[in-house]
Amino acid sequence: MMNGTQYVESLKAMKPRIFFRGERLKKPYDHPAIAPHVRTAAMTYDLARDPKHADLMTAISNLTGERISRFTHLFWSVDDLVKKIAMLRVIGREVGTCFQRCVGLDGINAIWATTWEIDAAKGTDYHKRFRKFLEGLQREDRMSCGAMTDVKGDRSLPPWQQTDPDMFVRIVERRADGVVIRGAKTHITGAVNSHEVLVMPTLGLPPEGSDYAVVCAVPLDTPGLTLVFGRQTNDERKAEEGMFDCGTPYGVVGGEATLIFEDVFVPAGRVFMAGEGEFAGGLVERFASWHRANYGGCKAGNADVLLGATALLTEILGTVKNPMVKDKLTEIVHLVESVFAGAVGSSALATKLPSGNWLVDPLLANTVKQNVTRFVYQVARLTHDLGGGLLSTLPSDADFRNEEIGGLLEKYFKGKDGFSTEDKRKLCRYIENMTSVGTLVEALHGAGSPQAQRIVMLRQADLPAKAEAAKKVIGIKGPAARKKEGH
Amino acid sequence: MMNGTQYVESLKAMKPRIFFRGERLKKPYDHPAIAPHVRTAAMTYDLARDPKHADLMTAISNLTGERISRFTHLFWSVDDLVKKIAMLRVIGREVGTCFQRCVGLDGINAIWATTWEIDAAKGTDYHKRFRKFLEGLQREDRMSCGAMTDVKGDRSLPPWQQTDPDMFVRIVERRADGVVIRGAKTHITGAVNSHEVLVMPTLGLPPEGSDYAVVCAVPLDTPGLTLVFGRQTNDERKAEEGMFDCGTPYGVVGGEATLIFEDVFVPAGRVFMAGEGEFAGGLVERFASWHRANYGGCKAGNADVLLGATALLTEILGTVKNPMVKDKLTEIVHLVESVFAGAVGSSALATKLPSGNWLVDPLLANTVKQNVTRFVYQVARLTHDLGGGLLSTLPSDADFRNEEIGGLLEKYFKGKDGFSTEDKRKLCRYIENMTSVGTLVEALHGAGSPQAQRIVMLRQADLPAKAEAAKKVIGIKGPAARKKEGH
Amino acid sequence: MMNGTQYVESLKAMKPRIFFRGERLKKPYDHPAIAPHVRTAAMTYDLARDPKHADLMTAISNLTGERISRFTHLFWSVDDLVKKIAMLRVIGREVGTCFQRCVGLDGINAIWATTWEIDAAKGTDYHKRFRKFLEGLQREDRMSCGAMTDVKGDRSLPPWQQTDPDMFVRIVERRADGVVIRGAKTHITGAVNSHEVLVMPTLGLPPEGSDYAVVCAVPLDTPGLTLVFGRQTNDERKAEEGMFDCGTPYGVVGGEATLIFEDVFVPAGRVFMAGEGEFAGGLVERFASWHRANYGGCKAGNADVLLGATALLTEILGTVKNPMVKDKLTEIVHLVESVFAGAVGSSALATKLPSGNWLVDPLLANTVKQNVTRFVYQVARLTHDLGGGLLSTLPSDADFRNEEIGGLLEKYFKGKDGFSTEDKRKLCRYIENMTSVGTLVEALHGAGSPQAQRIVMLRQADLPAKAEAAKKVIGIKGPAARKKEGH
Amino acid sequence: MMNGTQYVESLKAMKPRIFFRGERLKKPYDHPAIAPHVRTAAMTYDLARDPKHADLMTAISNLTGERISRFTHLFWSVDDLVKKIAMLRVIGREVGTCFQRCVGLDGINAIWATTWEIDAAKGTDYHKRFRKFLEGLQREDRMSCGAMTDVKGDRSLPPWQQTDPDMFVRIVERRADGVVIRGAKTHITGAVNSHEVLVMPTLGLPPEGSDYAVVCAVPLDTPGLTLVFGRQTNDERKAEEGMFDCGTPYGVVGGEATLIFEDVFVPAGRVFMAGEGEFAGGLVERFASWHRANYGGCKAGNADVLLGATALLTEILGTVKNPMVKDKLTEIVHLVESVFAGAVGSSALATKLPSGNWLVDPLLANTVKQNVTRFVYQVARLTHDLGGGLLSTLPSDADFRNEEIGGLLEKYFKGKDGFSTEDKRKLCRYIENMTSVGTLVEALHGAGSPQAQRIVMLRQADLPAKAEAAKKVIGIKGPAARKKEGH
């Protein structure tokens, strides 16, 4: 397993084509906009090397028998799934933001299960190819991102009915030695600082959409692949001296990027689905189940930091002993632990797939994510309530460093005796940035929009079985039963 | 293990002193107000004898090695706790209402752990006494209720400062062969149809409150014990022919009663705490933790039936295909599965107590109950929304049976073709009764009022640790650290 | 204007055909199930005669120039509408429950406006007929109820496609001297103790539904009209000595009934629409607008009583000084005043109709009702939270009156010194009954179900105008604009 | 009255000392950070000159009989208050953001009423001084800001117990010709582009705090006054070419600043309170009442634009016809109209003050603001839900303008046919910026934090009167009554 420094060096050995704010980045990993995200991902490597965290951060590979990072490990038991949630919370608390790597992890597991099933049904050899790819990934401890969401064009139309057929990534050429793909994936977390891109379809596909049924792995610096790093809330503050007004050295979201594939060739050994659209829906749904449960881990860890920061700030403001302040802190606790409890619950009730890895309870996993889409806004409001108007109006760090007025600002923004104005400002900046539109929207739409969860929930709730339970308890027969009896 | 019929017979062998609506009940178990609750508890006995449910409903006693009802079993592993939640949901779905027995179960576990600790600290023999009592309970498959909540008088005062010292149950005499207790416990679920009453204190007690620190087991027909069965929403409908307007044969809550102890003598072998007030808080808190997690199991099971009933009713009304109707059904699913997921999660993260049984994660368990106190009102509103005005205005069953107008009502309250008006009415009545004040308040206050959970949450959230995490991520020092460095 | 006693006498002069719990009521106005509702309506008559309330409770008729009850008055100015809301809150606070009369009031106004429009468009004389009817109603101070909601059968089908064509009230015969109607109206508030029934259609009607477009006035004891009084939560408690467990002498809802019209003849002078379906939608929508605004008045008044009762109960429990208790009381205040403010706001922005009476702002009125459908559940939860478990488990009044145990119950259910156990019980019973399913569902579905409001809101929000505002602010053109410019 | 251009020129005639991002601004009104706020305020001048808006935007001064801007007008009737709310909504819809001027307007009215009362009680001549000041303000159409919120230091301590006595603005010297003040006011909306600063205390003051009881008017370029313009979300984007990524040319909040008074001399004619601390609370509470009602006007207007933008965006995304999308748009409508209705309602129930101007209903006004503190988060979530992940990840405008990748981005971020990618991006940017932390926190804490409203609500709800109403309805006596009768 690499440590953080080795990880960063390995990145710098690549030459990806990355754009940001109108220019191609020559040294992307040193660029102020991207470095915080690299720093965050590096922390996942360092923690894996820390013996204190070995139980959560690493695992014994069922493929190779070697100790590997849990981020490249197949979910081989219920315990693996529960530990994943615990790991996500621990890291979330160490960095206080998105650390990007769970997308690739869930992608690996989804591709493992789906390739097994395609091969079983169709006699293909995708699973064998993928196993080989995965063994390499585990051995070399490479970071992979999961590229699922297409740009989608007109959302009322399926991929094959769009005016521009490229609005979903598709196979434009099938060659003996591989496929050529075209299209764009967007909102891809951790992409710019991953080694590998796992391309996956974004929805189930009928036969007429089979060209869109493509799963493959693409190295980040593959010819034809261009990344455009997304603009973030307050991203320019990263370029300021000391990054003070960023509130954190780790970035506020996952460093999302848009990936444009301009006829990228993928060799056969890296292709894991190429037209079998009937398996695309299953892949998406399982990926989503695992991934939605995650949010109860990582976001709880992030919220721990936000809660701690808010509690500290109320201490500095002198309000912490007010019973209503305590009640609001308690409500944050409640919201955070609710999603964490749900994530553990969905893991504890996992079932084994035919391919050997374990799937969280999909219904419960979806409720977790649905709750996350609500709780981040509630938590944001509570932290804003407790933090006060300064979250919106605090002068910039440069003003505090100004010779003429710095002293005055220092004087007037002082809180309780014994605390520095600087600490007060740092806490305000952290809360401000971690409750920005960037983070809220990521928590809302990441791993699927709220509506996506509701569709799954209704389907998986098995209402007919519940109607039967109701009939039994209440003593009614319903039309079917009565028909049988000749009514 | 007894079956349901044997259970009912065993009850009838007792002669408890039970009052209801102004009179002492001669045959309480046949009385229409109480019979539905007996029927519900009997179902827990029958299900335990059903091989299909053996894995959930029964367990191998760690005390005797015999197969026993899970309702008398100590939580001897994480698996026992997860299975308890699963069992509660299954039974909740079979009877659609409170089945009463989990209070005694959690009481047994709380007393087990606390007597172990008192003995370890003080050299008493409470644990030995309790073990003997419990072995008998397991062997004879007796039902116990947990009597914790005192009547409390003026809630701004502790027990020993009340004008009337009897507002919390207390020891009024200590004898060589036992103790004499006086006071009243209220809201006691399942009491009238239990064999045993487990008396427990309702709060932690300092030395001046040591007379109030009493744990003991009292048979239901002990001299000096009087039970007054609480009035329930629509309880008179139970006495009507066919109980049609009750909506269910199982009752809508747990058959709560007030228990008055008029100087009841309890022999030493049945006394498990008598003055060790410093252990009372721990007993209450652990009992509450287990019990609060339960609500994510049983209430989810009850809500399954309510959801099924509501879905059926929308089918009969002809509204089920409306996307907004589907969305509201989905919201019920979401709310229900959220509390269930949390209950499983709090069980999956259980820890072993020194006494050998396992305790759910208290923080997570409290969030479950807190969510339940909210979700029942949200679910009620959704079912009312979907069910329509008839839930409030439907004519009585007697009107439908009236010769003059029954046919007209049958005609005019008809729903979609293929469904009977009678089924429609039954569903309305079930929803009406299962969302009544009785059930809502029980879900709100049972296992502790909402505020009780919040107090625990704030205490267990470990805000200082979270503040430390925030300091680390954000890079601030805070006053303590700075002091060390000599600032 | 009649006083309360005269009102009751006038009722007793009628011989309506009313059924309840399986039997025809010989003296309906003395029947314990109905008397509380009569008592409540009588209060509206008494208050109108109280000089202290003259400004709110009465008005000068624009038809006759005489002082009349505001409940028979046309809304002839913005001030009339604002005063209506104020009146509703005052009465709501005097009786603490639904006082039934606003349905008829809004019905009068809706029929006034719609008959004016039909006549203007079609040269009919409905408005003249109605004016004459209304003058009589004002002069004799008769109470009218509004019968709008049909039983509806299969709600996915319009009236004329139902298997049974009678699922909506319709004209089955047109005669020279009037019409004959058949069908049933349900959930009709105040019907049993009104003098007149204002029959109105429940939805807009295209030509194929013209038989269902009927508006008319029917005296309560018209041959062929049968009323079935709906079953209410805990309604049997009304028959108990002293009605103690009812919590209030006024009833908990509006005394809703189902009205069955078995080929009822209505003379021409009482027919105000007979086939002009194109005007039915307008009538319904305006009626609904006025009526939905009302809920911010009467329900606020009712909630005032509930809030007062809850505050008193917390005093007796000894919890009132707890900051969290205060905060929950504050939340009730907030919810109540929000709907009241909205009702006043929708009245203050009223506009004049061609017929001369004034219509509340429909969009704002709909938001009021929508908020009410939510706030009653929130208020219920808060009162339950503060009231405690006794709301679900308190023994019956008969137990307190029992010689053997009454004293014990008196002792053990005592609260803070200086307060009687009886007062504590009364408060519990009031809260219990006023938050029952009956009241919740009435507040939810009365004046139209939540979904009905949303449909109106979306239609009246004028999204295109808001999109234009957005285009202007943001500086975008949109497809239409660009087309014009030749793009 | 000035038009917008004249207003900007009048600003440029001043030489205030303004800092931003570490430097003193030489031409503050041309600075990209401040120009958008100037532009917004200028719009209020232009609209007042537009005959179409004369009825709302202007009024006849009760002081001078001349037509003036409504922003300098005393509330001389209920109609004035209702029109103020309507005006705020109209402007809010024209600029889609905070237009700053209502603070000064409410400040004028509060000072008018309070000076009248001080003079009446103490024989001072503050009111006369203020009248003269106000006449000048009206005549010259000058913009005033209201500087109320102090920096507060340790919030658990009152002003006179702070370690540093300057944490609240105070009089440090009383001279024959005026007073000298020291301290800082923060979060001051519109300050940098106002002509006048109305200094007001932030809380009621007992005798020991009388030095903090100061009300006065200070021209912006008074010696000793320094302004530090607050840092805003994404504020650096304003400096980019075309401001594309700002989403709007008008700024996202009110341009809040911190004002530092370093021993500023205020001549007597501009001093309107100097030590009369017993009147400070009344001034604050009335100011807050008017100001809290406003939020139902301006924020509704802003939300109209946000709603329109969101609706447009769903059209471009192709999702607008989805019933769930419609339902979410409807929910925004509901939330917006609820606060607007409340604001109108609180105005419609205004009462006349002794000083002649009219005060909104304070209880209702507080509910309006409380609802606003919630609805902005709910609206933000709904717009984010409908807007999608692009709100968080959209590449910068510079990328779209880049020669190498601009075309690709144009292709891949295209929506429905007939709409431009540019419009789609603009809508995303508008929503992103208008739901940022800056705007949310401003809506939450502006005009007083949520807790401030709750304190007022509880005090003004008159719970004893409601308890009396409950006693009357329920038929209980309570301790006081019973005592009188000799119990």
Side-chain angles (χ1 to χ4, degrees), chain A residues 182-214:
Chain A
R182 184 191 302 157
K185 296 283 188 180
T186 193
H187 323 315
I188 308 307
T189 294
V192 292
N193 51 308
S194 287
H195 304 94
E196 294 282 352
V197 180
L198 301 175
V199 176
M200 296 175 280
T202 202
L203 76 178
L205 291 158
E208 56 268 45
S210 62
D211 284 346
Y212 297 92
V214 58

Side-chain angles (χ1 to χ4, degrees), chain B residues 185-240:
Chain B
K185 295 282 189 181
T186 193
H187 322 316
I188 308 307
T189 295
V192 292
N193 51 307
S194 287
H195 304 94
E196 295 282 353
V197 179
L198 301 175
V199 176
M200 296 175 281
T202 201
L203 76 179
L205 291 158
E208 58 268 44
S210 64
D211 285 347
Y212 297 91
V214 57
V215 177
C216 59
V218 178
L220 199 73
D221 51 3
T222 296
L225 173 57
T226 301
L227 296 96
V228 188
F229 193 68
R231 170 144 238 187
Q232 300 171 359
T233 308
N234 295 329
D235 51 10
E236 298 173 23
R237 297 186 189 177
K238 292 185 192 172
E240 293 175 4

Side-chain angles (χ1 to χ4, degrees), chain B residues 385-406:
Chain B
D385 185 346
L386 297 173
L390 279 186
L391 300 179
S392 174
T393 72
L394 186 67
S396 68
D397 183 50
D399 291 313
F400 280 83
R401 287 188 275 106
N402 174 282
E403 283 192 9
E404 283 181 85
I405 58 166

Side-chain angles (χ1 to χ4, degrees), chain B residues 137-408:
Chain B
L137 198 82
Q138 289 184 344
R139 193 169 48 242
E140 297 168 26
D141 201 11
R142 290 160 70 81
M143 173 167 165
S144 62
C145 68
M148 184 171 267
T149 306
D150 291 285
V151 291
K152 295 182 184 167
D154 180 343
R155 291 175 189 220
S156 64
L157 301 173
W160 57 95
Q161 290 180 7
Q162 301 279 334
T163 304
D164 179 346
D166 301 341
M167 300 315 273
F168 290 71
V169 168
R170 64 186 179 119
I171 299 170
V172 290
E173 189 186 349
R174 291 164 191 272
R175 288 163 39 178
D177 57 346
V179 299
V180 176
I181 62 174
R182 185 191 300 156
K185 295 282 189 181
T186 193
H187 322 316
I188 308 307
T189 295
V192 292
N193 51 307
S194 287
H195 304 94
E196 295 282 353
V197 179
L198 301 175
V199 176
M200 296 175 281
T202 201
L203 76 179
L205 291 158
E208 58 268 44
S210 64
D211 285 347
Y212 297 91
V214 57
V215 177
C216 59
V218 178
L220 199 73
D221 51 3
T222 296
L225 173 57
T226 301
L227 296 96
V228 188
F229 193 68
R231 170 144 238 187
Q232 300 171 359
T233 308
N234 295 329
D235 51 10
E236 298 173 23
R237 297 186 189 177
K238 292 185 192 172
E240 293 175 4
E241 185 189 335
M243 286 181 61
F244 192 99
D245 287 349
C246 293
T248 168
Y250 292 113
V252 300
V253 279
E256 281 71 22
T258 296
L259 277 59
I260 302 174
F261 297 85
E262 292 179 89
D263 293 1
V264 169
F265 171 69
V266 187
R270 286 175 156 271
V271 176
F272 312 123
M273 179 192 287
E276 295 81 3
E278 68 270 37
F279 292 91
L283 182 142
V284 173
E285 192 154 323
R286 282 190 291 232
F287 170 80
S289 294
W290 281 310
H291 206 47
R292 287 171 190 170
N294 291 356
Y295 276 67
C298 62
K299 298 300 175 199
N302 294 171
D304 285 340
V305 183
L306 197 50
L307 171 59
T310 305
L312 266 177
L313 184 52
T314 61
E315 204 180 334
I316 298 179
L317 294 172
T319 57
V320 72
K321 289 182 181 165
N322 183 311
M324 302 315 304
V325 169
K326 283 185 188 168
D327 190 64
K328 288 167 187 172
L329 292 170
T330 304
E331 183 63 16
I332 299 177
V333 171
H334 171 64
L335 293 164
V336 170
E337 301 301 338
S338 290
V339 297
F340 179 67
V344 173
S346 73
S347 302
L349 297 187
T351 49
K352 193 177 183 176
L353 295 171
S355 54
N357 51 350
W358 288 67
L359 180 65
V360 292
D361 182 294
L363 179 52
L364 302 192
N366 275 279
T367 66
V368 170
K369 178 68 214 310
Q370 183 82 182
N371 280 318
V372 167
T373 70
R374 300 171 180 184
F375 108 100
V376 287
Y377 289 84
Q378 296 166 303
V379 168
R381 184 181 181 279
L382 290 163
T383 63
H384 294 176
D385 185 346
L386 297 173
L390 279 186
L391 300 179
S392 174
T393 72
L394 186 67
S396 68
D397 183 50
D399 291 313
F400 280 83
R401 287 188 275 106
N402 174 282
E403 283 192 9
E404 283 181 85
I405 58 166
L408 283 170

Side-chain angles (χ1 to χ4, degrees), chain D residues 213-360:
Chain D
V214 58
V215 177
C216 58
V218 178
L220 200 72
D221 50 3
T222 296
L225 173 57
T226 301
L227 296 97
V228 187
F229 194 68
R231 171 144 236 187
Q232 300 172 359
T233 309
N234 294 329
D235 50 10
E236 298 174 23
R237 297 186 189 177
K238 291 185 194 173
E240 293 175 6
E241 185 191 335
M243 286 181 61
F244 193 99
D245 287 348
C246 293
T248 168
Y250 293 112
V252 301
V253 279
E256 281 70 23
T258 295
L259 277 58
I260 303 176
F261 298 85
E262 291 179 272
D263 294 1
V264 169
F265 171 69
V266 187
R270 287 176 156 271
V271 175
F272 312 124
M273 180 191 288
E276 296 80 2
E278 67 271 37
F279 292 90
L283 182 143
V284 173
E285 192 155 323
R286 280 189 294 233
F287 170 80
S289 294
W290 281 310
H291 206 49
R292 287 171 189 170
N294 291 356
Y295 276 67
C298 62
K299 297 302 176 197
N302 293 170
D304 285 339
V305 183
L306 198 50
L307 171 60
T310 306
L312 268 178
L313 183 52
T314 61
E315 205 182 335
I316 298 179
L317 294 172
T319 57
V320 72
K321 290 184 181 163
N322 183 312
M324 301 316 304
V325 170
K326 283 185 189 169
D327 190 64
K328 287 167 187 171
L329 292 171
T330 304
E331 184 62 17
I332 299 177
V333 171
H334 171 65
L335 293 164
V336 171
E337 302 301 337
S338 290
V339 298
F340 179 67
V344 173
S346 72
S347 303
L349 296 187
T351 48
K352 193 175 183 176
L353 295 171
S355 53
N357 52 349
W358 288 68
L359 180 64
V360 293

Side-chain angles (χ1 to χ4, degrees), chain A residues 204-479:
Chain A
L205 291 158
E208 56 268 45
S210 62
D211 284 346
Y212 297 92
V214 58
V215 177
C216 59
V218 177
L220 200 71
D221 51 3
T222 296
L225 173 56
T226 301
L227 295 96
V228 187
F229 193 67
R231 169 142 239 187
Q232 299 172 359
T233 308
N234 294 330
D235 50 11
E236 298 171 23
R237 298 187 188 177
K238 292 185 194 173
E240 294 175 4
E241 184 189 335
M243 284 181 62
F244 193 99
D245 288 348
C246 293
T248 169
Y250 292 113
V252 301
V253 279
E256 282 70 22
T258 296
L259 278 59
I260 302 175
F261 297 86
E262 292 179 272
D263 294 1
V264 169
F265 172 69
V266 188
R270 287 174 155 271
V271 175
F272 313 124
M273 179 191 287
E276 296 80 4
E278 67 271 37
F279 291 90
L283 182 143
V284 173
E285 192 154 322
R286 281 189 294 232
F287 170 80
S289 294
W290 281 309
H291 206 47
R292 288 171 189 170
N294 291 357
Y295 276 68
C298 61
K299 298 299 175 198
N302 293 171
D304 284 339
V305 183
L306 197 51
L307 171 60
T310 306
L312 267 177
L313 184 52
T314 62
E315 205 181 334
I316 298 179
L317 294 172
T319 57
V320 71
K321 288 182 182 165
N322 182 309
M324 302 316 305
V325 170
K326 283 185 188 168
D327 191 64
K328 287 166 187 172
L329 292 171
T330 305
E331 184 62 17
I332 299 177
V333 171
H334 170 64
L335 292 165
V336 171
E337 302 301 338
S338 290
V339 297
F340 179 66
V344 173
S346 73
S347 302
L349 297 187
T351 48
K352 193 175 183 176
L353 295 171
S355 53
N357 52 349
W358 288 67
L359 180 65
V360 293
D361 182 295
L363 178 52
L364 302 192
N366 275 279
T367 67
V368 171
K369 177 68 213 307
Q370 183 82 179
N371 279 318
V372 167
T373 68
R374 299 173 181 185
F375 109 99
V376 288
Y377 290 84
Q378 294 166 304
V379 168
R381 183 180 181 280
L382 289 163
T383 63
H384 294 176
D385 185 346
L386 296 173
L390 280 186
L391 300 180
S392 174
T393 73
L394 187 67
S396 69
D397 183 50
D399 290 313
F400 280 84
R401 287 187 277 105
N402 176 281
E403 284 192 8
E404 283 182 83
I405 59 166
L408 284 169
L409 293 176
E410 193 74 20
K411 167 189 171 82
Y412 281 115
F413 286 107
K414 185 84 171 53
K416 201 177 174 67
D417 284 352
F419 294 89
S420 72
T421 302
E422 185 174 311
D423 282 358
K424 183 176 166 188
R425 289 196 293 132
K426 277 188 179 170
L427 290 165
C428 287
R429 291 295 176 207
Y430 183 75
I431 296 171
E432 177 198 7
N433 283 287
M434 289 311 298
T435 57
S436 69
V437 172
T439 51
L440 295 177
V441 168
E442 194 281 321
L444 185 75
H445 286 291
S449 300
Q451 206 56 34
Q453 288 118 49
R454 298 181 84 75
I455 291 165
V456 176
M457 276 185 230
L458 185 59
R459 193 170 58 224
Q460 298 195 332
D462 196 359
L463 291 194
K466 279 154 192 166
E468 285 310 310
K471 287 179 187 172
K472 194 172 161 192
V473 168
I474 303 170
I476 61 176
K477 298 178 174 178

Side-chain angles (χ1 to χ4, degrees), chain B residues 21-22 155 163 166 187 231 234 236 240 245 317 373 377 381 384 393 399 402 404 411 417 445, chain C residues 17 21-22 155 163 166 187 231 234 236 240 245 317 373 377 381 384 393 399 402 411 417 445:
Chain B
R21 293 196 63 206
R155 291 175 189 220
T163 304
D166 301 341
H187 322 316
R231 170 144 238 187
N234 295 329
E236 298 173 23
E240 293 175 4
D245 287 349
L317 294 172
T373 70
Y377 289 84
R381 184 181 181 279
H384 294 176
T393 72
D399 291 313
N402 174 282
E404 283 181 85
K411 167 189 171 81
D417 285 351
H445 286 290
Chain C
R17 189 175 188 241
R21 295 195 61 206
R155 291 175 189 220
T163 305
D166 301 340
H187 321 317
R231 171 144 237 186
N234 294 329
E236 298 173 24
E240 293 175 6
D245 287 349
L317 294 172
T373 69
Y377 289 84
R381 183 181 182 279
H384 294 176
T393 73
D399 290 313
N402 175 281
K411 168 189 170 82
D417 285 352
H445 286 289

